[in-house]
Amino acid sequence: MKKQPDLQRLQEQKKRLSLRAQLTLIIGLVVVVSIALALLLEYLLEMCFPVLRNLPALLQLNLYSFVIATIVARFVTQVFSEPIRQLCMGMRQVSGGDFSVQLETKSKSGEIQELFAGFNRMVQELQSTEILQSDFVSNVSHEFKTPINAIEGYTTLLQNTDNIDEVENEYIEKILFNTRRLSSLVSNILLLSKIENQTIPTNRALYRLDEQVREAILALESMWEPKEIDFDVDLAEVSYFGNENLLYHVWMNLMSNAIKFSPQGGTVKIRLYASDAVLRFTVEDQGPGLSEEAKKHVFDKFYQADTSHKAEGNGLGLALVKRIVTGVGGEVSVEDLPHGGCRFTVLLYPSAPEEAG
């Protein structure tokens, strides 16, 4: 049943002029119309301004034809350039990861219609592939979660037994360390998959954002205490209406990242400012900073700019930060500091509970 409409569409397209033939015809018409209008304009101007009769007729004709042809060509080329502009914008959206783009054109050209139809089919296939990949990763990660938790639980029990020698205890610690890394990776993949598929419930409420940041600092004590990290903290008293659990991941990932890259005995600077229009959170470290290439990809999944810290992370933390902040309508950025290190900035645009409802 589907073949008949397709065949009819192809037959209709064959009846139309090709794009090359249309362009050739239009250019020819522009030339003819421009010369005709130029002759008419020359006649009218000479009637109004007799002094122009002293100018060579060929010079007048060329001048008027050029002006008229330029004006006409401007409007004609707009007809052909508009579909190209639409296509470029669509490609830019797709390259940014938006696979919901569908383009429509009013052009009567068969080639342009076929080009737009091909683009839409490509985007639909990419969207299907993305959904399939996301579902696969989510399902596999979920299946991994249970056995990983079991391994971690049994390994923790082994640590507390008395008949374990020093070498065996070292093996147990390595198993536990890598199991927790794998568990963290699976949890991050599941969370990222849920965010990208927008399956996480809203669960928004009004809460103290500054208190949440303080809780995150305390939760990271096992990271900053061995490195003797100092904190320079200035937090305004801020209430925010949003998903408390999701934003907790943002502060944890950004601050753990700052602690990880700060040197022994370094300082992590944290600020939270508020205004009627925006909430601004910044965290600065004293690490090596980021190259221009690294700054382009720092929020990509599984990207790690400094491979020397590869064992301490999985390259998903900042990708999660980007997805969460963007999902709540905010912005996140990174910049190098003049004295070394880098600064991550999160901008949130608060909304009242009644507005969100």
Side-chain angles (χ1 to χ4, degrees), residues 141-142 144-145 148 182-191:
S141 300
H142 191 270
F144 279 170
K145 193 70 177 173
I148 290 172
L182 187 57
S183 178
S184 174
L185 173 63
V186 171
S187 297
N188 284 340
I189 289 175
L190 281 171
L191 180 59

Side-chain angles (χ1 to χ4, degrees), residues 114-125:
E114 188 63 29
L115 181 63
F116 272 58
F119 175 85
N120 291 334
R121 284 196 300 270
M122 177 194 72
V123 174
Q124 288 175 352
E125 290 297 326

Side-chain angles (χ1 to χ4, degrees), residues 303-318:
Y303 180 80
Q304 290 181 292
D306 186 354
T307 54
S308 63
H309 290 82
K310 193 171 183 179
E312 301 174 32
N314 47 52
L316 282 178
L318 293 179

Side-chain angles (χ1 to χ4, degrees), residues 34-260:
S34 299
I35 294 174
L37 290 176
L39 289 170
L40 177 62
L41 184 61
E42 180 185 5
Y43 173 75
L44 293 175
L45 288 175
E46 286 182 354
M47 291 287 291
C48 297
F49 306 100
V51 69
L52 294 176
R53 294 174 182 174
N54 298 327
L55 294 175
L58 185 59
L59 177 61
Q60 291 186 60
L61 183 61
N62 287 335
L63 178 62
Y64 301 149
S65 297
F66 175 76
V67 173
I68 294 170
T70 302
I71 296 171
V72 174
R74 168 65 179 167
F75 290 101
V76 170
T77 53
Q78 184 69 21
V79 175
F80 290 95
S81 64
E82 180 60 22
I84 297 174
R85 188 189 66 83
Q86 285 182 272
L87 196 60
C88 288
M89 290 180 61
M91 288 180 176
R92 196 175 294 116
Q93 287 179 266
V94 172
S95 66
D98 183 3
F99 299 128
S100 63
V101 183
Q102 289 291 295
L103 300 181
E104 295 182 2
T105 180
K106 296 179 180 178
S107 174
K108 301 300 182 181
S109 169
E111 287 88 343
I112 292 178
Q113 289 185 352
E114 188 63 29
L115 181 63
F116 272 58
F119 175 85
N120 291 334
R121 284 196 300 270
M122 177 194 72
V123 174
Q124 288 175 352
E125 290 297 326
L126 287 173
Q127 188 177 36
S128 300
T129 303
E130 180 74 10
I131 293 172
L132 181 63
Q133 177 184 339
S134 178
D135 289 345
F136 174 78
V137 170
S138 178
N139 292 334
V140 171
S141 300
H142 191 270
E143 292 300 320
F144 279 170
K145 193 70 177 173
T146 302
I148 290 172
N149 288 339
I151 294 171
E152 183 178 350
Y154 286 123
T155 308
T156 304
L157 290 175
L158 285 174
Q159 275 189 316
N160 300 324
T161 56
D162 297 329
N163 57 343
I164 299 294
D165 60 34
E166 186 176 344
V167 176
E168 291 172 333
N169 193 58
E170 183 180 348
Y171 293 157
I172 290 173
E173 288 180 357
K174 288 182 178 179
I175 293 171
L176 193 57
F177 172 77
N178 286 288
T179 302
R180 285 171 176 167
R181 277 193 64 205
L182 187 57
S183 178
S184 174
L185 173 63
V186 171
S187 297
N188 284 340
I189 289 175
L190 281 171
L191 180 59
L192 190 59
S193 176
K194 289 177 181 178
I195 293 171
E196 290 178 339
N197 289 316
Q198 298 179 346
T199 59
I200 293 182
T202 306
N203 292 333
R204 293 195 291 176
L206 190 66
Y207 69 97
R208 284 278 298 277
L209 199 63
D210 54 309
E211 289 298 330
Q212 187 182 49
V213 173
R214 291 188 183 94
E215 290 172 7
I217 295 173
L218 293 175
L220 293 168
E221 184 178 2
S222 60
M223 284 188 67
W224 54 259
E225 188 177 32
K227 296 185 72 172
E228 300 177 338
I229 298 293
D230 288 329
F231 285 88
D232 179 2
V233 181
D234 184 10
L235 305 176
E237 185 175 316
V238 175
S239 293
Y240 179 73
F241 184 76
N243 190 310
E244 188 173 357
N245 292 331
L246 277 184
L247 285 172
Y248 186 72
H249 286 280
V250 173
W251 319 132
M252 288 288 287
N253 279 301
L254 289 178
M255 288 189 287
S256 64
N257 194 67
I259 294 168
K260 180 169 65 175

